[in-house]
Amino acid sequence: MIVGAGKLGVRLAGIMNHENMDVTLVDENQLVIDNVNEHLDVMTVVASGINVSTLKDLNIEKFDILVASTESDSTNSIICTFAKKLGCKQTIARIRDPEYMEQLDFVRDELGIDLIINPDLATANTIAKYLLKNVVFYSGEFASGKVKMIDFCVGNLHNFVGKKLSEIQGLDNLLITAVSRQGNLIIPNGFTVIEPDDVIYVLGVSEHIEKLSKLYKLRGTEKRVENALILGGGNVGYYLAKELAKSKVRVTIIEQNIKKVKRLAESLDHVLVIDGDGTDITLLEEENIQNMDAFVGVTGFDEQNLLMALMAKQFGVNKTIAKVSRQNYTKIIDKLDIDVAINPVNITASNILKFVRGGKVASVSLLLGGNGEVTEIIATADMPYIDKPIYKLNLPKGLIIGAIIHDGEVVIPNGNSIIRANDRIVVFTLSEDIESLKSLFKRGKGGLFSELWNRSKNPGFDTDN
């Protein structure tokens, strides 16, 4: 059950429905539910999820997981508490307020919440990693950071455009898992020709990724971030400024809500908070935007974040980032001259999917609005692909085993590579091939993912791995 049909609730409903989970989506707004019914084949209920009678009428005790994703932190907490008391096996709450996060353990333990997810904090941490690690933006880290997937727009780089993948220098020990072209994901092969403005996804050992970034001087790799300008003083701006300040970055926040300005000034040390309109070019010039190493737009308006990130790039800012929540902007963002567009909904959905799938799924990273995903799986001895070369597994075209981690060593596999028990496997999958992924990694009768779903129904299953 998902309570709250906002961006996150609807996104989760679509993903879980795609994976053949029985989803019930609850929201008290009839118009919102009507819109969901036009696009998703899930059960919908117009009701208040905080109403105990509603939960009882929907037989909440038969549900494996409830996700509370309304706009209110307190409502989400209470819904999870009620659901748990009424017999729901596991509960997930979206909680954003920094004050809640300071007493996270108490909230989780005392209210019976199994997972607390904070999209704003997760988004801020993702942006901070990009700014502080001084590498091209990456889609995810796997095997405790030993394997990375990065994505970057080739633009008009002559080293890439017009060449087959097999002709591009510097890709040794790396794997191009996908190419994003005009909003569509393509599974490439050695004969695939790169076109202008393609975005390529590269998977490999972290050290080799670093070498690729330096070889082609990929965007954002030239200079350490010492000065950053953040547009928007909401929760994401607060968390991000706090994290950057810890790393001795000089941070300026521009916010025009005076209450937020006062709160930020009181709660943040070594951060300059300015009361003003961040879209005012004169103000930006007064704050020396041309001398900034990074600009981050994290207001509540996607269009404003994108526009001002573009403007910052015109001023010569090295790294420009925009927070963008709308899925339908995905196809145009790759064509814009900004470095990174961060989608909090996808980040949050990835974290929830990891929890739902259980202990043997170590991480999930959604790509291009969920058109593809990268999943890290821990192999077990009773899976049928163990001790077999990959070329004998009859992998579907939309599924690629991108890396095998054996005894701590990373292997970018070829057809003769063999998966052993306890290996970690990083798998890239197109969304339409999720079912193939489930059927491929079988375990016993029901398959690995079937076993994971069953484990997720057990309130004591382990998600720490």
Side-chain angles (χ1 to χ4, degrees), residues 325-332:
S325 298
R326 289 178 180 266
Q327 292 293 130
N328 53 2
Y329 284 173
T330 301
K331 294 188 178 182
I332 66 166

Side-chain angles (χ1 to χ4, degrees), residues 421-432:
N422 299 316
D423 285 354
R424 286 176 177 255
I425 315 157
V426 181
V427 186
F428 172 84
T429 325
L430 289 177
S431 57
E432 59 261 34

Side-chain angles (χ1 to χ4, degrees), residues 284-293 312 315-317:
L284 294 176
E285 290 176 332
E286 289 175 354
E287 296 307 320
N288 298 314
I289 188 172
Q290 67 276 7
N291 296 325
M292 293 291 172
D293 303 312
F315 276 101
V317 178

Side-chain angles (χ1 to χ4, degrees), residues 206-357:
S206 298
E207 290 80 4
H208 295 153
I209 293 288
E210 299 278 355
K211 288 180 182 178
L212 178 72
S213 299
K214 289 177 181 177
L215 176 63
Y216 290 112
K217 296 181 179 178
L218 298 178
R219 220 182 249 175
T221 62
E222 298 87 357
K223 186 179 177 184
R224 180 184 180 274
V225 173
E226 297 179 353
N227 301 280
L229 177 63
I230 299 173
L231 174 59
N235 289 339
V236 177
Y238 165 78
Y239 290 128
L240 178 60
K242 191 173 182 180
E243 189 64 27
L244 293 179
K246 283 183 190 176
S247 299
K248 309 302 181 185
V249 176
R250 291 184 289 273
V251 181
T252 301
I253 298 180
I254 299 179
E255 170 58 54
Q256 56 185 345
N257 182 312
I258 190 61
K259 289 184 178 179
K260 290 183 179 180
V261 169
K262 290 179 178 178
R263 187 193 72 189
L264 290 167
E266 291 171 357
S267 56
L268 290 173
D269 296 325
H270 310 297
V271 174
L272 176 62
V273 185
I274 296 173
D275 175 19
D277 180 1
T279 63
D280 184 344
I281 302 301
T282 302
L283 175 61
L284 294 176
E285 290 176 332
E286 289 175 354
E287 296 307 320
N288 298 314
I289 188 172
Q290 67 276 7
N291 296 325
M292 293 291 172
D293 303 312
F295 172 91
V296 186
V298 288
T299 73
F301 302 97
D302 291 352
E303 297 83 0
Q304 190 175 93
N305 296 336
L306 286 167
L307 177 62
M308 298 317 296
L310 287 169
M311 187 67 67
K313 187 58 81 172
Q314 292 298 309
F315 276 101
V317 178
N318 188 34
K319 294 183 177 182
T320 59
I321 303 172
K323 177 173 75 73
V324 181
S325 298
R326 289 178 180 266
Q327 292 293 130
N328 53 2
Y329 284 173
T330 301
K331 294 188 178 182
I332 66 166
I333 287 172
D334 290 343
K335 299 179 181 180
L336 300 179
D337 187 25
I338 64 174
D339 294 293
V340 179
I342 299 287
N343 189 320
V345 177
N346 283 345
I347 293 171
T348 310
S350 296
N351 290 334
I352 292 175
L353 277 179
K354 174 186 171 182
F355 178 84
V356 170
R357 287 177 177 175

